[in-house]
Each structure stands twice: as structure tokens, then as C-alpha cells.
Amino acid sequence: MSNRLSPHKLIVTILKKGMARSAVQAAKKAGARGATVMLGRGTGIHERRFLGIQWNPEKEVILILVPDEQVETILDALVAAGKLDKPGTGIGFVLDTKRIGGICGPSRSVAPSEHATREVKEMENAPIRYDLIVTIVNKGNEDVVVDASKKAGAEGGTIISGRGTGIHEHAKLFNIPIEPEKNIVLTLIDREKTEAVLEKIMEEAELNKPGRGIAFVMEVERTVGINHALNRMVNEQMKAQNNS
């Protein structure tokens, strides 16, 4: 039987390539037990162009699962190591988890902390809130997803490579089943725009057709590195109140 520890949060950090190593080391010093690093590429509106061709720099995506009471400390360490307080360096956000398994250590149950309860209430009143749209499509269709999201108001996304094992995959080579390559597009979006962006992605990527892909939305609890002055002010106020 797998161990279950609750509550835990998933911290997702997207940095320029080469920054993950120092960021993970800083997170471990702050109490993180480990991390998963994946390669991706950015498609933000702030990405530069070279000879008139859009240049999508390589990114590193870090996933760190941490107990709720350690989120603030580890997030601060990631901000400092990844220089997320400076525009254009990267972004980080926190997602809730309902249940986890496979964590080493004694099984235990953790009651929601006062900090967690206060943070949820404050986020309910925050002027800017975000969702994460996760879209999984066949390789080659990721640009359709990104373009569609931008048309509906998104600033861009991060693309991660993968492979599919869905029930609709039937291609074979010499009678050997082929698992087509997939791309995952992560789109962090102002919650007021979520529905419009999701509908545009569904329409232009034709996700209503079998085997074309899937998209789903996850609620973001906290963000860092977003270049909106108001959002930074809200996060700073939350941090000050949590430390008081």
C-alpha cells in the first residue's frame, strides 16, 4: 500500500536552459527532497527574433512536490536561484494535489495549516488569478495550439516533448505498434480568459475529433515571475501577511 501524505503542493518552475541545476540545489537546501527536470521550449510574446525568424529558446521545466508548510521557503529559494524577480527570466506557479503516492517515509496525515487556509482566502480576493491549461497533441500540432491560445489572449506557452499510448493510436511499422510522438503545451492564463483560450484551442486543434489530443485546466494557487505589476503587489502583500 502506497504512503499518502497530505496536503502537498506541486511547484512548477520554467527557467532558461542551464538554470535548473542551481535552482534544484537551492530548493534542496531549502528542504525539498528532490525534483524532476524536463526540457522544453518557450513561445512567449517576449521571445526575440533572429533574422526575422522567431527564436524559441530552450527552457527547463522543474517539478517539485513539497509539503504545504514548506512551499513558501522553497518558492523563495527558487525565486532567488532562478532570478524570477527579474523580468523575462522565467515563471513559477503552485498547483494543489488531491492525493499522492510513492513518497518515502512514514505514512501520516497532515491537517491543513493556518497558512494554507489564509492563503486560499487571500487568493479568492486577489485581483489577478491564473489557470494552467495543459494541452497534449500529436507532434507538429503544438504550434496550432500556441497560435490559437495567442489569438484568444494568451501570451504564449511552454512546449514539452512526450509520446502517446492512447487507445486511438493504431499505426504500425512491420506489424509493430508505433507510439506517436506527442507534445505537451503548458499555457498559464489569466482566469478571466481561460474559457475563451480553451475554446479557441479546442476549435483550431480540432480536439473534438478522436485521436487529435486532449486539453484540461488546473487551478493555480500562486505565481511568481509574472510580469504584471499588480500581480507582484498581491504576492508581496500575501508574503508580508504570512510572515507577520
Side-chain angles (χ1 to χ4, degrees):
M1 182 176 179
S2 61
N3 294 327
R4 290 183 293 169
L5 285 70
S6 178
H8 272 61
K9 307 293 184 183
L10 179 66
I11 301 178
V12 182
T13 312
I14 303 173
L15 302 170
K16 293 180 179 180
K17 186 178 180 182
M19 298 288 291
R21 183 179 179 86
S22 59
V24 169
Q25 289 176 344
K28 286 184 177 180
K29 288 181 180 178
R33 301 181 66 174
T36 298
V37 180
M38 301 177 290
L39 290 178
R41 60 185 176 93
T43 62
I45 59 175
H46 302 294
E47 309 295 359
R48 293 174 291 177
R49 303 177 75 89
F50 179 68
L51 297 179
I53 302 173
Q54 185 172 353
W55 174 42
N56 294 327
E58 290 183 298
K59 304 288 186 181
E60 289 178 319
V61 183
I62 308 171
L63 307 180
I64 305 177
L65 192 65
V66 303
D68 177 73
E69 62 269 19
Q70 291 182 321
V71 169
E72 198 69 30
T73 301
I74 294 173
L75 198 58
D76 284 347
L78 289 168
V79 169
K83 301 179 181 179
L84 296 182
D85 52 342
K86 297 181 179 179
T89 57
I91 60 174
F93 47 92
V94 180
L95 302 172
D96 194 18
T97 62
K98 294 182 65 175
R99 181 175 177 178
I100 63 172
I103 301 295
C104 297
S107 179
R108 61 187 178 93
S109 177
V110 181
S113 64
E114 180 183 349
H115 159 71
T117 303
R118 183 168 62 247
E119 182 175 276
V120 169
K121 291 181 179 178
E122 288 166 350
M123 285 302 294
E124 289 176 350
N125 298 320
I128 299 178
R129 293 182 294 172
Y130 294 92
D131 285 326
L132 177 68
I133 301 178
V134 181
T135 311
I136 304 172
V137 292
N138 293 328
K139 184 177 181 180
N141 291 340
E142 65 277 5
D143 289 337
V144 175
V145 173
V146 172
D147 290 344
S149 67
K150 288 182 178 179
K151 290 178 184 178
E155 294 188 358
T158 298
I159 299 171
I160 304 171
S161 297
R163 61 186 179 92
T165 58
I167 59 175
H168 298 292
E169 313 299 353
H170 299 296
K172 292 186 176 181
L173 178 64
F174 297 117
N175 207 35
I176 301 174
I178 301 173
E179 296 176 348
E181 292 186 3
K182 303 286 186 181
N183 276 328
I184 304 166
V185 184
L186 306 180
T187 308
L188 192 65
I189 187 72
D190 183 335
R191 193 164 297 169
E192 293 183 354
K193 301 178 182 179
T194 297
E195 196 64 31
V197 172
L198 183 62
E199 288 183 2
K200 196 65 175 176
I201 290 173
M202 293 287 295
E203 175 189 346
E204 299 207 2
E206 299 181 324
L207 298 186
N208 58 326
K209 296 181 179 179
R212 297 287 300 197
I214 187 172
F216 53 91
V217 180
M218 301 180 70
E219 185 174 311
V220 175
E221 291 190 355
R222 175 84 181 272
T223 63
V224 291
I226 302 295
N227 293 323
H228 296 296
L230 185 57
N231 188 72
R232 288 199 300 272
M233 180 185 70
V234 169
N235 279 336
E236 287 172 0
Q237 289 176 347
M238 288 175 57
K239 181 177 178 182
Q241 290 174 4
N242 289 334
N243 292 333
S244 63

